[in-house]
mmCIF file of all heavy atoms in Angstrom:
data_model
loop_
_atom_site.group_PDB
_atom_site.id
_atom_site.type_symbol
_atom_site.label_atom_id
_atom_site.label_comp_id
_atom_site.label_asym_id
_atom_site.label_seq_id
_atom_site.Cartn_x
_atom_site.Cartn_y
_atom_site.Cartn_z
ATOM 1 N N VAL A 199 36.712 158.562 86.261
ATOM 2 C CA VAL A 199 36.668 159.113 84.899
ATOM 3 C C VAL A 199 37.585 158.263 84.042
ATOM 4 O O VAL A 199 38.791 158.206 84.253
ATOM 5 C CB VAL A 199 37.129 160.585 84.859
ATOM 6 C CG1 VAL A 199 37.074 161.124 83.454
ATOM 7 C CG2 VAL A 199 36.280 161.427 85.800
ATOM 8 N N GLY A 200 37.021 157.514 83.073
ATOM 9 C CA GLY A 200 37.875 156.638 82.286
ATOM 10 C C GLY A 200 37.148 155.982 81.124
ATOM 11 O O GLY A 200 35.983 156.235 80.850
ATOM 12 N N GLY A 201 37.877 155.077 80.460
ATOM 13 C CA GLY A 201 37.351 154.331 79.325
ATOM 14 C C GLY A 201 36.733 153.031 79.751
ATOM 15 O O GLY A 201 36.312 152.865 80.916
ATOM 16 N N ASP A 202 36.712 152.044 78.848
ATOM 17 C CA ASP A 202 36.036 150.792 79.154
ATOM 18 C C ASP A 202 36.683 150.044 80.297
ATOM 19 O O ASP A 202 36.001 149.522 81.181
ATOM 20 C CB ASP A 202 35.925 149.915 77.892
ATOM 21 C CG ASP A 202 37.256 149.758 77.158
ATOM 22 O OD1 ASP A 202 38.252 150.341 77.568
ATOM 23 O OD2 ASP A 202 37.265 149.021 76.153
ATOM 24 N N ASP A 203 38.010 149.986 80.323
ATOM 25 C CA ASP A 203 38.685 149.262 81.409
ATOM 26 C C ASP A 203 38.582 149.984 82.733
ATOM 27 O O ASP A 203 38.359 149.354 83.770
ATOM 28 C CB ASP A 203 40.151 149.041 81.050
ATOM 29 C CG ASP A 203 40.339 147.955 79.987
ATOM 30 O OD1 ASP A 203 39.749 146.864 80.150
ATOM 31 O OD2 ASP A 203 41.016 148.186 78.993
ATOM 32 N N SER A 204 38.719 151.297 82.732
ATOM 33 C CA SER A 204 38.619 152.057 83.969
ATOM 34 C C SER A 204 37.217 151.984 84.555
ATOM 35 O O SER A 204 37.043 151.876 85.779
ATOM 36 C CB SER A 204 38.989 153.544 83.713
ATOM 37 O OG SER A 204 40.311 153.649 83.240
ATOM 38 N N ASN A 205 36.213 152.016 83.702
ATOM 39 C CA ASN A 205 34.835 151.911 84.191
ATOM 40 C C ASN A 205 34.488 150.487 84.605
ATOM 41 O O ASN A 205 33.616 150.266 85.444
ATOM 42 C CB ASN A 205 33.858 152.423 83.131
ATOM 43 C CG ASN A 205 33.707 153.936 83.203
ATOM 44 O OD1 ASN A 205 33.069 154.452 84.097
ATOM 45 N ND2 ASN A 205 34.304 154.652 82.266
ATOM 46 N N THR A 206 35.187 149.509 84.009
ATOM 47 C CA THR A 206 35.060 148.135 84.520
ATOM 48 C C THR A 206 35.594 148.092 85.927
ATOM 49 O O THR A 206 34.979 147.448 86.826
ATOM 50 C CB THR A 206 35.839 147.162 83.615
ATOM 51 O OG1 THR A 206 35.261 147.142 82.313
ATOM 52 C CG2 THR A 206 35.810 145.743 84.190
ATOM 53 N N ASN A 207 36.718 148.742 86.190
ATOM 54 C CA ASN A 207 37.268 148.850 87.548
ATOM 55 C C ASN A 207 36.264 149.492 88.491
ATOM 56 O O ASN A 207 36.073 149.073 89.646
ATOM 57 C CB ASN A 207 38.544 149.656 87.545
ATOM 58 C CG ASN A 207 39.783 148.818 87.241
ATOM 59 O OD1 ASN A 207 40.878 149.339 87.201
ATOM 60 N ND2 ASN A 207 39.596 147.543 86.995
ATOM 61 N N ALA A 208 35.602 150.550 88.010
ATOM 62 C CA ALA A 208 34.594 151.242 88.819
ATOM 63 C C ALA A 208 33.478 150.282 89.198
ATOM 64 O O ALA A 208 32.998 150.261 90.349
ATOM 65 C CB ALA A 208 34.025 152.419 88.053
ATOM 66 N N ALA A 209 33.034 149.481 88.243
ATOM 67 C CA ALA A 209 31.987 148.475 88.510
ATOM 68 C C ALA A 209 32.429 147.449 89.551
ATOM 69 O O ALA A 209 31.657 147.051 90.432
ATOM 70 C CB ALA A 209 31.578 147.760 87.216
#
Side-chain angles (χ1 to χ4, degrees):
V199 180
D202 50 358
D203 286 311
S204 299
N205 276 286
T206 296
N207 274 180

